[in-house]
Amino acid sequence: MYFACKNLTVRYDRVTALRDVSLELAEGEIVALIGANGAGKSTTLRAITGLKQPAAGEIWFEGSRIDRLPPAEIVRRGIAMVPEGRRIYPYMTVKDNLLMGAYLRQDRAGIKRDLEKIFVRFPRVKERLNQQAGTLSGGEQEMVVVGRALMARPKLLLLDEPSLGLAPMVVREIAKLVTDINREDKVSVILVEQNSRMALRISHRAYVLETGSIGLAGPSAELADDDHVRRLYLGG
Ligand code: ATP
């Protein structure tokens, strides 16, 4: 399997945030991870990126175990995360925010090329390159943090609640962006979302986390039709 978490258990002191979580992703897939507040979605991403050491279980990417590697090495292998809450650097320019995503790279020509690619993908970001990032709207900031993650040239992109706090029209833009990045740049995606409707619409498969364990899993279209999922996550 291209990417897999096997029987992950993650604890914060006495709280068990994840218990025996297994999930898989094939190359080229968008996999959604949905679930209520506190179900363990962010914790799953923190374990994958090496920010939180699992108490048990394994994480595999492209044939190697990665769960003991330091976060920078995990980025180098091709996994980048867009954290929850759009952690932009508000006092830095948009351009410098984007360049922070390339901090592990040395190939200046490649960095320049990727920056140009991002300008094509996000014309609104290009218009605001020399502006302080903190002055952008929420949707524009989300585009900058996605752009920043793309500057690391990821093969697998982890997105933590990209639609949080955005107006419906902006959520649609972000959804399209994720689909485009997946299709055109061939980036696999794990999408964590409270907006289950959007997540199930754009993902190929999905997992439902319920208080630290996988409750349901399957093709997103099937889950969107499931009574339990509809009642609990899609508002009936
Ligand atoms: P949300 O959508 O609210 O971010 P989530 O599904 O991402 O929720 P997590 O943030 O992964 O959930 O939290 C899972 C559980 O772990 C929760 O019970 C939470 O209180 C607990 N938890 C998360 N971070 C910590 C921490 N640093 N210390 C102690 N407990 C934590």
Side-chain angles (χ1 to χ4, degrees):
M1 187 44 71
Y2 185 64
F3 174 86
C5 295
K6 295 184 184 167
N7 307 101
L8 274 194
T9 293
V10 176
R11 295 196 187 95
Y12 298 102
D13 300 320
R14 249 153 286 155
V15 180
T16 300
L18 295 181
R19 193 186 304 275
D20 226 11
V21 165
S22 296
L23 56 89
E24 290 185 346
L25 176 137
E27 191 169 3
E29 266 191 317
I30 301 180
V31 165
L33 196 53
I34 62 175
N37 264 319
K41 304 181 298 298
S42 300
T43 299
T44 307
L45 297 190
R46 292 171 56 78
I48 295 170
T49 50
L51 297 174
K52 177 70 190 162
Q53 195 74 50
E58 300 177 358
I59 306 175
W60 290 77
F61 181 55
E62 293 190 313
S64 327
R65 247 186 105 165
I66 61 165
D67 52 270
R68 301 277 151 178
L69 300 177
E73 177 57 25
I74 294 173
V75 175
R76 223 174 266 121
R77 302 259 178 127
I79 300 181
M81 171 154 79
V82 178
E84 190 174 3
R86 348 211 134 87
R87 307 270 171 72
I88 55 152
Y89 303 100
Y91 299 110
M92 284 171 48
T93 63
V94 168
K95 184 174 183 187
D96 287 341
N97 266 274
L98 292 171
L99 288 174
M100 288 295 285
Y103 76 107
L104 289 170
R105 294 172 60 181
Q106 251 97 90
D107 55 322
R108 287 180 58 183
I111 291 173
K112 192 151 179 280
R113 242 190 342 266
D114 286 346
L115 208 49
E116 292 297 329
K117 253 174 75 180
I118 284 173
F119 296 161
V120 173
R121 172 133 292 150
F122 311 87
R124 262 166 45 209
V125 166
K126 186 178 182 187
E127 287 165 21
R128 291 162 173 74
L129 267 193
N130 299 311
Q131 206 165 312
Q132 278 193 356
T135 63
L136 301 184
S137 74
E140 289 160 358
Q141 290 189 13
E142 187 61 36
M143 289 175 195
V144 172
V145 290
V146 172
R148 183 176 73 199
L150 291 177
M151 286 302 292
R153 283 242 176 133
K155 301 173 193 164
L156 172 59
L157 184 64
L158 312 178
L159 294 164
D160 197 352
E161 307 226 11
S163 80
L164 195 72
L166 300 180
M169 201 178 78
V170 185
V171 172
R172 280 197 290 278
E173 266 182 75
I174 298 292
K176 177 170 186 307
L177 182 65
V178 174
T179 313
D180 288 350
I181 291 168
N182 172 253
R183 283 202 197 128
E184 292 161 19
D185 300 343
K186 312 277 179 235
V187 175
S188 308
V189 176
I190 298 181
L191 173 64
V192 160
E193 262 301 339
Q194 289 271 353
N195 185 336
S196 311
R197 196 175 297 277
M198 181 271 264
L200 291 178
R201 184 163 54 76
I202 69 169
S203 58
H204 303 107
R205 287 186 310 110
Y207 292 85
V208 182
L209 260 181
E210 294 179 339
T211 51
S213 306
I214 302 289
L216 278 168
S220 303
E222 283 178 24
L223 287 186
D225 257 347
D226 181 273
D227 280 344
H228 176 77
V229 172
R230 290 173 73 99
R231 195 158 19 89
L232 282 175
Y233 302 104
L234 300 174

